[in-house]
Amino acid sequence: MTQHRFRGLKLGVLVIPTAAALALTGCSNSASTGSNGGSKEFSLTFSTSNTIESPFQKLGEQYMAAHPDVKITFNAQPNDSYDQTVRTQLQAGNASDVIVTSPGSGTGRSILPLVEANFLEPLDDSAKNLVPVGSEALFGKDGKVYGQAAEMTVVGLVVNETAAKASGVADFPTDFAGLEKQCSTLSSANKSFFALAGSAAPNTGLMAMSLAASRVYAEDPKWNEKRSGNQTKFADSQGWKDSLEAVKKLNDAGCFQKGAAGAGFDAITKGLASGTSVAGFVPAPSWKQLKTAAADSDFVVRALPSEQSSDKGFVYASANYSFSINAASKNKDAAKAFLDWAAQPEQTKAFAEIDGALPVSGLDTYDYASGAYKNVGDLIKDGKYGPLPNSQWPNSAVYDALATGVQGLLTGQKSVDQVLQAMDSAWG
């Protein structure tokens, strides 16, 4: 089936706030030399938002097990400061050899602005062959690829179905009114429908984009293109206004846990694992990490209920994570050998299984009937999905304006119009 695709956006300048000096520490570019004269050591940076071992680290450990003469130094960084940390390290010249990046241009870890700054190394055909159809422009320019897709990531809701049923949510709501009603019921029982990391901009921004899935992109998958061509603006979009008004409605209905505005990512892990919250706005692979923390609970991936049950369902699904090589790396041979190994079909399948994601290819024949993705399988097979919107926004400042703006909506310090106007200003 045909995937909804957002095309035709120009590159922008990456805007990143100054990171703390601590962000400059903890990286290694030291090399050891093997018998063939090439480096047998390299470093790998990835983000983490909890204490559960990263799938990127697990893949690296499997590589070392298969290649005993190789040593990988893992440089995990907190997710909420990852973008700033990576950018600062690249500018300082002490970034890791291999960096986990994201396709597109909308965040600080995005491939395109990092390529514009000459921070990334072009990759070979093994990486080019893994670029999802229609996403070529998100992975490089001038025919060159600078990121190797790691998996297909669905972004919607991760739901603790065991906790939902135990809390009286026997049937998952099919529309927004039903969702608000469930929120009120759970709130009166000192529980919440959603666990939200309100102090972490990545999570508040993701929530807003999730609300925009059915309100903006299901109706107009080319909305980003129109914004790029100045045919519309956030402040003029009824869909975006409705999306941010929905944030306020969720807050007013008691959909978030108490103290959500000041909560960090640990609130999501603890809330969903303990069952005090039913769902979270997190990438779908989190279901497997949560399963590790709560073995007796069943976690599934769902689309966020639309405004009306008759509305078009829509989820985000794209290659949101990729491996890139630092252009200043002194261990490029070792880094490329790792990426070549990771690109092999058995490794891409294994990585998807490790992380609880979908494989980077073969979605048309994937078995959705059982497992975590059973509730979104039809949407994906019918092509009712597209990449995260911010992957095609011209710079990270637009997403920052959205994420911090949502924080302001939660505390009552900003209005919907103010947030949308700030996004338009950042776009320019």
Side-chain angles (χ1 to χ4, degrees):
M1 296 293 177
T2 302
Q3 174 186 353
H4 288 318
R5 303 185 183 110
F6 312 137
R7 298 174 178 268
L9 292 167
K10 62 182 180 180
L11 301 182
V13 178
L14 182 64
V15 179
I16 292 294
T18 303
L22 180 62
L24 300 176
T25 65
C27 288
S28 171
N29 270 333
S30 60
S32 59
T33 304
S35 58
N36 63 357
S39 170
K40 294 293 183 179
E41 180 176 353
F42 66 94
S43 49
L44 170 63
T45 284
F46 49 86
S47 66
T48 181
S49 57
N50 50 45
T51 58
I52 299 173
E53 186 177 20
S54 164
F56 299 103
Q57 181 164 336
K58 287 186 178 180
L59 187 69
E61 290 171 348
Q62 290 183 359
Y63 183 70
M64 287 191 288
H67 303 81
D69 57 339
V70 173
K71 178 184 178 182
I72 303 176
T73 299
F74 300 111
N75 294 317
Q77 302 293 337
N79 186 62
D80 55 359
S81 60
Y82 182 79
D83 293 7
Q84 297 96 320
T85 298
V86 167
R87 180 74 177 200
T88 303
Q89 290 172 346
L90 287 167
Q91 290 173 329
N94 62 354
S96 292
D97 303 298
V98 179
I99 302 165
V100 174
T101 54
S102 294
S105 58
T107 69
R109 73 188 72 180
S110 295
I111 290 171
L112 299 182
L114 294 178
V115 170
E116 286 291 292
N118 298 315
F119 286 142
L120 302 183
E121 181 79 4
L123 304 180
D124 57 23
D125 287 343
S126 61
K128 187 176 293 187
N129 292 336
L130 290 181
V131 175
V133 175
S135 296
E136 293 83 2
L138 303 180
F139 283 82
K141 64 175 186 176
D142 300 330
K144 296 181 180 179
V145 169
Y146 294 83
Q148 180 170 299
E151 63 185 22
M152 286 293 286
T153 302
V154 175
V155 178
L157 295 177
V158 173
V159 181
N160 184 334
E161 286 212 326
T162 303
K165 292 176 181 178
S167 301
V169 185
D171 297 315
F172 198 81
T174 59
D175 57 27
F176 199 74
L179 174 60
E180 290 180 285
K181 183 177 179 180
Q182 292 284 12
C183 286
S184 297
T185 300
L186 289 171
S187 180
S188 64
N190 293 320
K191 294 185 178 183
S192 69
F193 199 99
F194 296 113
L196 180 70
S199 70
N203 196 233
T204 55
L206 192 62
M207 173 179 63
M209 290 195 301
S210 296
L211 290 164
S214 61
R215 292 168 175 80
V216 179
Y217 297 100
E219 297 297 328
D220 189 359
K222 294 185 178 181
W223 192 90
N224 278 352
E225 293 181 36
K226 294 177 180 178
R227 179 63 188 86
S228 181
N230 289 321
Q231 298 173 33
T232 188
K233 291 185 177 182
F234 289 104
D236 297 333
S237 167
Q238 188 61 49
W240 271 105
K241 290 180 182 179
D242 291 343
S243 299
L244 295 193
E245 287 291 349
V247 172
K248 297 172 63 178
K249 290 179 181 179
L250 291 177
N251 196 30
D252 292 342
C255 293
F256 309 126
Q257 81 279 12
K258 294 180 180 179
F265 278 107
D266 60 326
I268 300 176
T269 305
K270 293 177 181 177
L272 268 63
S274 68
T276 57
S277 297
V278 169
F281 298 92
V282 290
S286 299
W287 77 263
K288 190 164 187 178
Q289 298 175 357
L290 289 163
K291 182 68 175 178
T292 302
D296 294 333
S297 294
D298 291 327
F299 293 91
V300 298
V301 181
R302 288 184 177 273
L304 184 67
S306 303
E307 191 69 30
Q308 304 292 334
S309 58
S310 59
D311 289 349
K312 298 177 182 178
F314 191 88
V315 294
Y316 300 122
S318 56
N320 289 348
Y321 301 102
S322 53
F323 294 105
S324 294
I325 295 178
N326 179 3
S329 168
K330 298 178 181 178
N331 305 310
K332 291 179 183 177
D333 288 344
K336 289 180 178 178
F338 170 67
L339 263 62
D340 287 342
W341 174 84
Q344 297 171 8
E346 57 268 33
Q347 313 309 339
T348 58
K349 180 180 179 181
F351 183 81
E353 292 176 350
I354 290 172
D355 198 27
L358 294 175
V360 74
S361 59
L363 292 179
D364 289 341
T365 58
Y366 186 83
D367 180 15
Y368 298 96
S370 59
Y373 293 93
K374 60 186 178 182
N375 296 300
V376 296
D378 287 343
L379 291 176
I380 294 174
K381 287 188 292 185
D382 292 343
K384 295 178 181 178
Y385 69 96
L388 281 171
N390 65 321
S391 68
Q392 297 242 358
W393 293 349
N395 57 66
S396 62
V398 182
Y399 184 76
D400 291 343
L402 172 63
T404 57
V406 169
Q407 292 173 327
L409 294 178
L410 294 174
T411 60
Q413 295 175 307
K414 289 189 178 181
S415 67
V416 168
D417 288 341
Q418 287 175 323
V419 177
L420 295 176
Q421 289 167 7
M423 293 173 69
D424 283 321
S425 295
W427 188 288

